[in-house]
Amino acid sequence: MDAAANPPALPFPGPLPAWARAGLDTLAAAHPDLARIEATAGPLAWRVRPRGFPGLLRAICGQMISDRAAAAIWGRLAALPGALDPAGLLALDDAALCGQAGLSRPKAAHARSLAMAVLDGRLRLDELPGMEDAEAVAHLCAVRGLGRWTAQVHLLFAEQRADVFPEGDLALAAGLAHLRGLPTRPPPRALAALALEWQPCRSLAARLLWHWWRHATGRPAGDIAMDPAADA
């Protein structure tokens, strides 16, 4: 069956895995500020993205723009026949990828780079589950167009890793600043250092902070509110 006939869904609320609920309870017990989030904003919705090539395409759509804008582009891209298969994507020209789907030319180039890396075996997506977090990030970042933010977001939402924290995400920095009443948003290096206190559940802390920022800004429940500062 052609993948475009049933394109992977956009991030959606699903059942909270048992390991995630246990991790959230552990975070809440140790960090009162994080405990405030679900108490104030409501239960955390569990959001996932497609694994493999489609999931990385979805992450490329989100580079340097808000997730709401990225979701619109992704919907158009996923509807293009063959776009969710590496060989099929390479067969699409800029009129399709940029004109119809709305990708910028650099993102179209990133998508093609990803497809080529999968086809020639440089990117071994089936081996990701066996890699440690740092190794998996480095393996993804070896592909032109896949920066650290893209790799981390993919591992967090598509691979559902427990301890990945996208320190370059502006919404995470803004969410933490708002939650703790900080005078400014912490820059990526400082945010990464602050996140160390949430090990080994940094992915869950990130999900909570996105949840908090969405609540604080009044964004719709379907808007993850991710916003990368820089990538690739």
Side-chain angles (χ1 to χ4, degrees), residues 16 19-29 38 44 46 201 204-205 208:
L16 201 68
W19 68 265
R21 184 70 267 165
L24 290 169
D25 291 344
T26 297
L27 285 172
E38 287 194 292
L44 178 69
W46 191 252
C201 299
L204 296 176
L208 284 171

Side-chain angles (χ1 to χ4, degrees), residues 52 89 101-102 160 186 205 229:
L89 184 132
Q160 299 191 54

Side-chain angles (χ1 to χ4, degrees), residues 16-65:
L16 201 68
W19 68 265
R21 184 70 267 165
L24 290 169
D25 291 344
T26 297
L27 285 172
H31 305 283
D33 55 350
L34 295 185
R36 289 173 46 209
I37 295 177
E38 287 194 292
T40 303
L44 178 69
W46 191 252
R47 301 180 186 279
V48 298
R49 287 185 173 178
R51 299 184 70 189
F53 179 73
L56 282 166
L57 272 182
R58 174 62 181 85
I60 286 173
C61 288
Q63 292 171 343
M64 301 300 297
I65 60 175

